[in-house]
């Protein structure tokens, strides 16, 4: 019945479109002009009203309320909303009669002067109006309060029209990305671009999307990370660089993951992971006040503060305390499997030391990390591209920033020894042979570049979608993405 009703409304609107054309009106004119955005009209309302300034405005019709010889129409553009008053005594008979062809969702151009109604509502008193884009499909009447996330994501354009919170999230996303670009540029970093199509997917532990280039007849992969190309730029003499762009990983979809996501990676020659810890804290002391005016934010029902000095704790110590033994000393997988069985945890398919340690961290430690925390010093097996700690070769100079259970940042002092890097790659290749599909492949081009010499450096990666989710109180990263990936409708 609902589909029959929808088709009836569509046909009626198609008939109105035909009627407009028959009467010499263009339902989709090419030329449209406006003197002010709706926000500009409202911000300068008193001045414009007092001067009786003629305005030409445009917007989408959100609602129509007709009472006899006067109609009130609410329109919206990208900047805001405004009420229109179309009265029989202020427009021609033809224009007033034409109101019967106006529908919710239509875009219109209106001309008139600002006034205030007897109820104190700021309003444009319309003298001329015409449709500039006829809406054929009606906007849904029951969108507000819709809890079906997939429906909202699938019809995202409707969500942006009717859901102010979704619009605010997208605006905040734009502001955050703009801030990050300007902040890094002001700090002396150069923005660069590296290939998205790559002959070898590297720079992270992830499963890539595979494709094929017909002309060259070669397999290619959508990048899982830009890291190895960015470090080749360090070899080329650049010292402070960053890239802000899309990565692609053939993985599941949940609160923290979307197969297509935005990452910010920077590389800084002659710095180490401790420099980047300090850099990160300073960046956030500027970022949060610039975006929301305070260093505190509410995520869900919990308040997260980035104002004070963040907690810093060694990963190896925190996980060791949680499971009851030294994870650098005991690397026997059976010791870790015992913890899974004792605590009733699901055992991962791959039961290597690295996988078991990482899974125990995700299940037992990360869920308790609410306030911003810097976890540093990881087992070397968990960081195949990071430099060993001189004082303890079992430890990688790596850190992560976790807040409200979200891993926001991954960073480390970069391994620049080509001999050791080859050895690490070979260990990863052996892990792939044991069934670890996410283990790093041997990248000969990268190893060749390292042999020319890469300066000591530190690298840093920020999950932009996760940061935006945190700052906008979004339940998932998909809520921060304009069009997240969905299974096609059958």
């Amino acid at each position: 019945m609902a589909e029959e009703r929808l088709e009836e409304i569509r046909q009626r609107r198609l008939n109105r479109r035909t009627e407009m054309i028959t009467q010499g009106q263009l339902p989709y004119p090419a030329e449209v002009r406006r003197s002010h955005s709706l926000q500009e009209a409202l911000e300068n309302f008193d001045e414009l009203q007092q001067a009786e300034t003629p305005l030409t405005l445009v917007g989408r019709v959100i609602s129509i309320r007709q009472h006899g010889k006067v109609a009130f129409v609410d329109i919206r553009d990208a900047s805001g909303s405004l009420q229109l008053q179309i009265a029989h005594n202020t427009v021609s008979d033809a224009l007033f009669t034409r109101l019967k062809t106006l529908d919710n969702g239509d875009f219109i151009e209106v001309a008139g002067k600002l006034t205030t109604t007897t109820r104190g509502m700021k309003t444009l008193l319309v003298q001329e109006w015409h449709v500039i884009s006829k809406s054929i499909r009606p906007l849904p009447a029951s969108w507000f309060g819709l809890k079906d996330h997939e429906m909202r994501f699938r019809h995202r354009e409707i969500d942006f029209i009717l859901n102010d919170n979704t619009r605010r999230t997208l605006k905040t996303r734009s502001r955050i990305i703009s801030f990050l670009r300007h902040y890094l540029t002001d700090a002396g970093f150069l923005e660069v671009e590296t290939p998205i199509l790559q002959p070898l997917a590297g720079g992270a532990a992830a499963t890539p999307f595979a494709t094929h280039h017909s002309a060259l007849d070669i397999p290619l992969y959508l990048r899982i990370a830009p890291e190895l190309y960015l470090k080749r730029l360090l070899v080329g003499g650049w010292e402070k660089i960053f890239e802000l762009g899309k990565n692609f990983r053939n993985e599941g979809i949940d609160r923290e993951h979307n197969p297509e996501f935005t990452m910010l990676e920077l590389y800084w020659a002659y710095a180490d992971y401790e420099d980047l810890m300090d850099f990160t804290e300073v960046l956030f002391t500027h970022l949060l006040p610039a975006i929301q005016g305070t260093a505190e934010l509410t995520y869900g029902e919990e308040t997260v503060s980035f104002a004070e000095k963040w907690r810093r704790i060694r990963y190896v110590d925190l996980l060791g305390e949680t499971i009851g033994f030294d994870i650098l000393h005991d690397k026997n997988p059976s010791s870790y499997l015992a913890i899974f069985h004792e605590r009733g945890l699901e055992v991962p398919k791959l039961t290597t030391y690295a996988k078991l340690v990482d899974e125990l961290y995700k299940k037992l430690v990360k869920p308790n990390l609410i306030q911003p925390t810097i976890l540093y010093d990881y087992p070397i097996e968990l960081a195949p591209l990071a430099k060993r700690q001189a004082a303890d070769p079992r430890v990688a100079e790596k850190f992560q920033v976790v807040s409200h259970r979200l891993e926001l940042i991954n960073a480390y002092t970069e391994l620049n020894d080509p001999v050791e890097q080859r050895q690490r790659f070979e260990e990863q290749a052996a892990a792939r042979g044991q069934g670890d599909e996410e283990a790093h492949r041997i990248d000969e081009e990268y190893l060749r570049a390292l042999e020319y010499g890469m300066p000591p450096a530190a690298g840093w990666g920020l999950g932009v979608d996760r940061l935006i989710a945190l700052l906008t109180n979004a339940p998932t990263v998909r809520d921060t993405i304009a069009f997240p990936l969905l299974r096609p409708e059958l």
Side-chain angles (χ1 to χ4, degrees):
M1 181 64 70
E3 285 297 321
E4 293 176 1
R5 174 63 176 160
L6 172 60
E7 189 53 40
E8 177 185 332
I9 295 173
R10 287 186 69 251
Q11 188 57 54
R12 184 163 64 242
R13 293 189 176 200
L14 285 168
N15 292 341
R16 288 173 177 170
R17 175 186 178 275
T18 302
E19 181 183 345
M20 290 175 65
I21 295 172
T22 302
Q23 294 175 356
Q25 304 170 45
L26 294 176
Y28 307 97
E31 184 176 352
V32 177
R33 296 288 179 265
R34 64 176 168 184
S35 61
H36 300 73
S37 69
L38 299 187
Q39 181 178 357
E40 289 170 341
L42 291 170
E43 287 178 347
N44 301 284
F45 187 89
D46 294 338
E47 177 185 342
L48 294 170
Q49 180 185 24
Q50 185 174 4
E52 297 186 344
T53 303
L55 303 183
T56 302
L57 308 177
V58 298
R60 183 192 290 273
V61 174
I62 299 301
S63 68
I64 306 169
R65 306 174 302 281
Q66 187 161 353
H67 308 283
K69 294 189 176 184
V70 63
F72 293 97
V73 179
D74 294 327
I75 64 170
R76 170 182 288 168
D77 67 7
S79 69
S81 303
L82 183 68
Q83 176 177 271
L84 312 177
Q85 180 178 318
I86 305 176
H88 189 273
N89 61 353
T90 58
V91 299
S92 66
D93 290 344
L95 284 178
F96 193 79
T97 302
R98 195 184 295 170
L99 278 171
K100 67 182 182 181
T101 67
L102 188 64
D103 292 300
N104 285 345
D106 289 354
F107 283 86
I108 61 174
E109 179 183 299
V110 295
K113 298 179 181 179
L114 294 173
T115 187
T116 304
T117 66
T118 54
R119 295 186 176 182
M121 180 70 71
K122 294 179 178 179
T123 302
L124 183 80
L125 187 60
V126 176
Q127 297 168 331
E128 294 278 344
W129 74 273
H130 64 274
V131 171
I132 55 175
S133 183
K134 183 64 185 170
S135 171
I136 303 303
R137 184 177 293 270
L139 298 174
S142 58
W143 198 260
F144 295 100
L146 187 67
K147 298 188 184 304
D148 185 342
H149 269 55
E150 181 163 329
M151 180 67 72
R152 288 179 43 231
F153 294 149
R154 193 171 298 282
H155 303 288
R156 199 61 152 164
E157 62 279 1
I158 304 301
D159 204 25
F160 287 127
I161 294 171
L162 300 178
N163 190 333
D164 287 338
N165 187 57
T166 304
R167 293 169 63 86
R168 280 193 297 271
T169 297
L170 195 64
K171 287 181 179 179
T172 303
R173 180 187 183 93
S174 178
R175 292 174 57 213
I176 291 171
I177 290 175
S178 178
F179 174 91
L180 292 170
R181 274 201 164 99
H182 284 95
Y183 185 89
L184 291 179
T185 301
D186 290 345
F189 287 85
L190 176 72
E191 183 170 10
V192 297
E193 293 179 308
T194 60
I196 290 177
L197 286 174
Q198 301 181 353
L200 191 72
T207 304
F209 288 95
T211 186
H212 185 270
H213 190 279
S214 298
L216 296 177
D217 192 24
I218 58 172
L220 291 172
Y221 302 92
L222 293 179
R223 74 176 178 200
I224 57 176
E227 177 170 343
L228 301 189
Y229 282 95
L230 290 169
K231 289 194 286 193
R232 286 168 68 179
L233 288 174
L234 293 180
V235 172
W238 303 100
E239 296 182 1
K240 297 178 75 174
I241 54 175
F242 77 93
E243 181 168 9
L244 203 163
K246 294 288 188 181
N247 289 350
F248 307 85
R249 297 181 184 177
N250 201 345
E251 59 191 7
I253 297 172
D254 58 28
R255 170 182 175 246
E256 299 181 50
H257 298 89
N258 191 67
E260 175 183 354
F261 61 98
T262 302
M263 281 289 294
L264 169 61
E265 290 203 21
L266 67 84
Y267 291 84
W268 186 358
Y270 315 116
D272 63 14
Y273 76 144
E274 291 184 348
D275 295 314
L276 282 181
M277 291 182 202
D278 296 336
F279 170 88
T280 302
E281 287 191 346
V282 173
L283 185 153
F284 272 77
T285 63
H286 290 86
L287 170 64
L288 269 72
I291 298 301
Q292 59 182 34
T294 175
E296 292 190 349
L297 58 89
T298 300
Y299 189 81
E301 298 180 355
E302 295 164 310
T303 299
V304 180
S305 175
F306 288 85
E308 302 298 328
K309 198 74 174 171
W310 300 356
R311 179 192 186 198
R312 297 188 184 188
I313 185 168
R314 299 179 82 221
Y315 175 99
V316 293
D317 293 340
L318 185 56
L319 182 56
E321 292 168 5
T322 302
I323 63 177
F325 58 83
D326 185 344
I327 69 170
L328 293 177
H329 176 71
D330 188 346
K331 297 189 177 183
N332 189 333
S334 62
S335 300
Y336 298 88
L337 286 170
I339 302 296
F340 279 87
H341 297 313
E342 289 171 9
R343 307 205 181 192
L345 303 174
E346 182 180 353
V347 178
K349 293 180 180 179
L350 199 65
T351 57
T352 62
Y353 164 75
K355 284 292 182 183
L356 293 171
V357 165
D358 185 51
E359 195 67 21
L360 286 174
Y361 155 74
K362 290 177 179 177
K363 292 182 180 299
L364 301 178
V365 175
K366 193 173 78 164
N368 300 315
L369 300 177
I370 306 302
Q371 297 301 323
T373 302
I374 293 177
L375 290 178
Y376 67 99
D377 287 358
Y378 284 62
I380 195 68
E381 291 84 353
L382 272 65
L385 296 166
K387 183 169 287 188
R388 294 179 187 271
Q389 193 177 85
D392 188 345
R394 301 172 301 172
V395 172
E397 291 195 350
K398 163 182 164 131
F399 76 86
Q400 286 190 306
V401 174
V402 184
S403 179
H404 207 285
R405 310 174 188 93
L406 289 171
E407 293 175 351
L408 299 176
I409 292 167
N410 186 38
Y412 39 82
T413 307
E414 300 294 341
L415 175 58
N416 60 340
D417 178 345
V419 176
E420 182 176 352
Q421 184 63 81
R422 179 177 292 279
Q423 179 185 344
R424 301 267 201 98
F425 278 164
E426 289 172 350
E427 292 170 355
Q428 289 285 296
R432 287 186 67 82
Q434 297 174 14
D436 186 355
E437 296 180 357
E438 295 184 347
H440 209 291
R441 295 166 171 82
I442 298 176
D443 189 330
E444 292 292 349
E445 288 295 323
Y446 176 63
L447 291 170
R448 174 188 172 94
L450 277 189
E451 289 184 359
Y452 287 110
M454 188 180 89
W460 182 94
L462 166 68
V464 175
D465 305 313
R466 294 179 184 179
L467 173 65
I468 295 167
L470 187 64
L471 267 61
T472 60
N473 198 15
T476 72
V477 295
R478 303 206 308 164
D479 289 271
T480 75
I481 299 170
F483 296 97
L485 183 66
L486 298 168
R487 190 191 307 274
E489 286 184 298
L490 298 178

